[in-house]
């Protein structure tokens, strides 16, 4: 649609379905007119969710209502409160990244009751990493060119909810604080997979590829599919966006270019030139 329209006031997405009533392609918010004031519309949505006042300039389907409520930190119209959680931190990593993995696990140790790393390396390399982070479970298994299979091996090593991160990703404070109430609300609603916003930073600059939804917070019984750009196999009604926080993703320009080349070699079309272009474009230039 017209590139001058604002981003969605709930999820920050720049794309809208071209319909009589435009609908955000990510969170499902429907608006009467795209010429809205983002701050005023967000405030109106929050007021409706808190007080039940009628919707006028927007509409929320049941799934969009939950997406908006969680993005605004609300559960049943009331502010969500932090609570303990049992989420496992899961990672897949290369053996060459062992020192960085150890530093990452150490930094996140207080945020998770347990951590699991599946190392693309040898048992000896896994044992060496275990020596650095003895509280984490480190298992060796070759990647064999299949990211989904590797993630599924991590899924199989735990129960309950698991947050899978890559070595160049970190959960922000808001996400860490929200894990308890998000997973409790998800369990209440019978959900199995939650999509998280990922904030890409290329050479330190926020990227136009936002919110870059990643379904990384899943019940352990959920399986991934796709050798690259892997996604969980879950019925839509068992999923939701969980936009109360975000994953920070740290990249360099050279890494973006190399990643596109490697992914394309793994699977035709997986290089995603449109994603590469958005990653290399600063957020301020995005609409």
């Amino acid at each position: 649609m017209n590139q001058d329209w604002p981003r969605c006031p709930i999820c920050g997405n720049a794309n809208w379905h071209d319909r009589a009533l435009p609908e955000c392609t990510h969170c499902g918010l429907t608006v009467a007119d795209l010429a809205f004031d983002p701050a005023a519309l967000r405030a109106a949505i929050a007021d409706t969710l808190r007080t039940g006042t009628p919707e006028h300039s927007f509409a929320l389907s049941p799934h969009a209502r939950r997406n908006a409520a969680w993005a605004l930190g609300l559960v049943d119209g009331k502010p969500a409160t932090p609570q303990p959680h049992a989420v496992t931190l899961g990672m897949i990593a290369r053996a060459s990244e062992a020192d960085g993995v150890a530093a990452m696990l150490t930094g996140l140790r207080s945020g998770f009751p347990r951590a699991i790393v599946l190392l693309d390396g040898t048992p000896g390399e896994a044992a060496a990493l275990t020596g650095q982070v003895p509280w984490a479970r480190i298992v060796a298994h070759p990647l064999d060119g299949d990211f989904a299979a590797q993630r599924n091996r991590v899924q199989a090593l735990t129960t309950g909810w698991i947050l899978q991160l890559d070595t160049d990703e970190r959960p922000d404070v808001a996400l860490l604080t929200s894990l308890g109430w998000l997973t409790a609300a998800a369990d209440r609603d019978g959900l199995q997979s939650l999509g998280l916003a990922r904030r890409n930073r290329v050479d330190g600059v926020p990227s136009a590829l936002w919110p870059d939804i990643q379904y990384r917070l899943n019940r352990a019984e959920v399986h991934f599919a796709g050798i690259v750009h892997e996604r969980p196999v879950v019925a839509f009604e068992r999923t939701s966006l969980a936009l109360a926080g975000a994953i920070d993703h740290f990249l360099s320009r050279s890494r973006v270019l190399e990643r596109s080349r490697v992914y394309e070699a793994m699977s035709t079309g997986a290089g995603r030139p449109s994603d590469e272009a958005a990653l290399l474009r600063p957020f301020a230039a995005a609409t």
Side-chain angles (χ1 to χ4, degrees):
M1 299 191 74
N2 189 312
Q3 65 178 1
D4 294 328
W5 296 126
R7 285 180 174 264
C8 173
I10 294 302
C11 68
N13 172 40
N15 300 309
W16 299 83
H17 290 298
D18 192 3
R19 299 170 179 167
L21 293 178
E23 178 184 327
C24 174
T25 61
H26 279 5
C27 72
L29 169 67
T30 299
V31 296
D33 186 347
L34 280 174
F36 58 75
D37 176 83
L41 182 54
R42 185 176 173 93
I45 293 169
D47 184 61
T48 289
L49 293 172
R50 286 194 301 263
T51 67
T53 55
E55 303 168 0
H56 294 295
S57 59
F58 63 93
L60 295 167
S61 65
H63 82 273
R65 178 173 291 267
R66 181 170 55 214
N67 290 340
W70 287 2
L72 293 165
L74 301 172
V75 177
D76 297 330
K78 299 177 181 178
T81 56
Q83 56 183 281
H85 70 82
V87 178
T88 297
L89 173 62
M91 296 174 60
I92 59 176
R94 298 185 294 269
S96 60
E97 300 172 309
D99 289 343
V101 170
M104 179 176 175
L105 291 177
T106 300
L108 293 173
R109 185 179 184 184
S110 63
F112 296 90
R114 59 193 156 274
I116 298 170
V117 179
L118 196 60
L119 200 65
D120 180 15
T122 66
E125 289 167 326
L129 180 54
T130 299
Q132 296 185 70
V133 284
W135 63 87
R137 183 175 182 184
I138 315 297
V139 179
H141 197 288
L143 176 65
D144 287 337
D146 191 331
F147 285 101
Q150 199 77 328
R151 290 206 188 278
N152 289 336
R153 294 180 185 105
V154 177
Q155 295 286 109
L157 293 172
T158 190
T159 58
W161 288 92
I162 176 168
L163 172 65
Q164 288 216 36
L165 296 177
D166 292 338
T167 56
D168 54 5
E169 297 173 336
R170 300 292 185 276
D172 68 10
V173 173
L175 178 55
L176 286 172
T177 303
S178 303
L179 286 176
W181 68 260
L182 279 174
T183 52
D187 282 336
R188 185 196 66 176
D189 292 351
L191 305 178
Q192 295 180 308
S193 180
L194 301 183
L196 307 175
R198 184 167 68 173
R199 184 185 298 111
N200 296 289
R201 300 180 187 276
V202 179
D203 292 329
V205 178
S207 163
L209 188 58
W210 167 263
D212 193 18
I213 302 299
Q214 303 290 313
Y215 283 84
R216 296 287 194 79
L217 184 55
N218 297 281
R219 297 285 307 181
E221 59 267 25
V222 169
H223 285 187
F224 287 82
I227 62 173
V228 66
H229 297 306
E230 62 283 3
R231 290 177 64 86
V233 181
V234 185
F236 174 77
E237 60 270 19
R238 294 296 186 92
T239 72
S240 183
L241 297 184
L243 305 176
I247 297 170
D248 282 312
H249 188 203
F250 301 94
L251 296 158
S252 64
R253 180 183 178 86
S254 60
R255 171 60 180 149
V256 170
L257 298 174
E258 174 66 9
R259 192 179 72 157
S260 296
R261 184 191 66 77
V262 170
Y263 287 179
E264 186 65 26
M266 292 176 68
S267 178
T268 301
R272 293 184 178 177
S274 61
D275 280 6
E276 178 185 291
L279 279 168
L280 297 177
R281 190 169 68 248
F283 181 82
T287 56

